Amino acid sequence: MARHGFRSPSKLHYEQEWFREMYALELAAAGLAQHIRIGKNLKSQFPDLLGNLREGEYLVWSTEFERTKYSAVIQLAVFLDLFKEKELGVILEDPRIEFMLQDRGVWQSLAAHKKALDRLVQRIEIVTADPTKDIYLACMTHAMCPKVLEIYEKKRPTFIPQIFKGNPTLAEDIKEGAVKFGMSVTDDPFVLCDACRHMGDFVIQDAFLND
């Protein structure tokens, strides 16, 4: 089971070259690169299981969001050596993906590869799950996952402050991202954590990589 790769923020209400012509919550080029690397690492670690995998010898589950489908099928493409095919090989030649470029100013849209990715989604059969009902891939409400959320709420007062204690520049990185969103944040680690959830992982990752 894997989470989708880096995505655009939940609300694109500011002009930013990174996300030009992108929608909210859309998979970023750096996110696609993440899953290509994950696929390569898994294949090298488990060659007996994944080294000779053939089409039809797997079952792919995903939520119905495009970003999760792309993340799933791109890993399968690595396992199945589909990048040897010209259309998919072009994706690997994209410098943003080949070198996993995440630096400030690197445009993250996958528009140039959308046709190839959509064909891949059609080619690799995916069992989609309704995110409002699924209890495994989309743990979103207390009714769906009461025990998991109970544990989270119990440990939240301890582990969130520990995250910031172990990452001395993280608070400033989040504040930097918050400025772009017009958000008002304090030094309270819980306020900063909630801001992260609002802004999306790629914005914070970008700030973290560019101290």
Side-chain angles (χ1 to χ4, degrees):
M1 181 177 288
R3 190 174 187 269
H4 59 74
F6 288 154
R7 59 164 174 77
S8 59
S10 57
K11 292 185 179 180
L12 296 178
H13 55 229
Y14 66 99
E15 291 298 324
Q16 187 54 258
E17 283 299 297
W18 304 324
F19 307 118
R20 189 175 76 255
E21 299 175 18
M22 292 179 69
Y23 298 104
L25 305 176
E26 187 176 346
L27 187 67
L32 196 72
Q34 277 183 312
H35 280 277
I36 289 174
R37 291 193 175 191
I38 290 172
K40 289 181 177 179
N41 288 337
L42 287 174
K43 191 170 184 177
S44 66
Q45 290 293 319
F46 305 101
D48 294 339
L49 178 64
L50 301 173
N52 297 305
L53 190 67
R54 299 177 182 177
E55 292 191 56
E57 296 180 338
Y58 51 80
L59 180 62
V60 181
W61 284 80
S62 171
T63 53
E64 56 192 9
F65 301 113
E66 181 182 84
R67 62 181 179 274
T68 56
K69 289 181 181 180
Y70 283 176
S71 297
V73 298
I74 211 68
Q75 280 195 45
L76 262 294
V78 174
F79 299 157
L80 299 171
D81 287 327
L82 298 184
F83 286 105
K84 293 179 180 178
E85 300 174 6
K86 184 177 181 181
E87 185 178 41
L88 289 175
V90 172
I91 295 177
L92 289 186
E93 295 171 2
D94 184 327
R96 301 172 303 165
I97 294 171
E98 182 179 3
F99 303 110
M100 200 172 174
L101 298 181
Q102 307 168 83
D103 295 334
R104 181 160 303 158
V106 176
W107 187 36
Q108 290 297 319
S109 172
L110 288 170
H113 306 304
K114 184 170 175 54
K115 286 185 178 180
L117 291 169
D118 286 341
R119 290 194 186 100
L120 190 58
V121 168
Q122 294 174 354
R123 177 175 178 176
I124 296 177
E125 184 177 355
I126 300 175
V127 178
T128 56
D130 183 341
T132 65
K133 299 178 181 179
D134 181 69
I135 62 171
Y136 299 107
L137 302 182
C139 182
M140 300 169 67
T141 68
H142 187 273
M144 290 163 59
C145 295
K147 189 61 178 178
V148 172
L149 293 182
E150 179 183 328
I151 294 172
Y152 170 77
E153 292 298 334
K154 182 178 179 179
K155 293 186 175 296
R156 189 173 188 263
T158 302
F159 80 79
I160 288 182
Q162 288 178 341
I163 292 173
F164 288 90
K165 185 177 180 180
N167 297 273
T169 64
L170 184 57
E172 295 305 316
D173 294 333
I174 295 172
K175 289 178 182 178
E176 181 181 336
V179 170
K180 300 182 178 70
F181 279 79
M183 297 176 62
S184 177
V185 295
T186 67
D187 290 323
D188 185 320
F190 299 101
V191 172
L192 294 171
C193 181
D194 289 339
C196 284
R197 296 174 64 182
H198 174 78
M199 291 186 287
D201 37 35
F202 184 79
V203 170
I204 303 306
Q205 180 74 5
D206 182 86
F208 182 72
L209 290 172
N210 289 278
D211 287 335

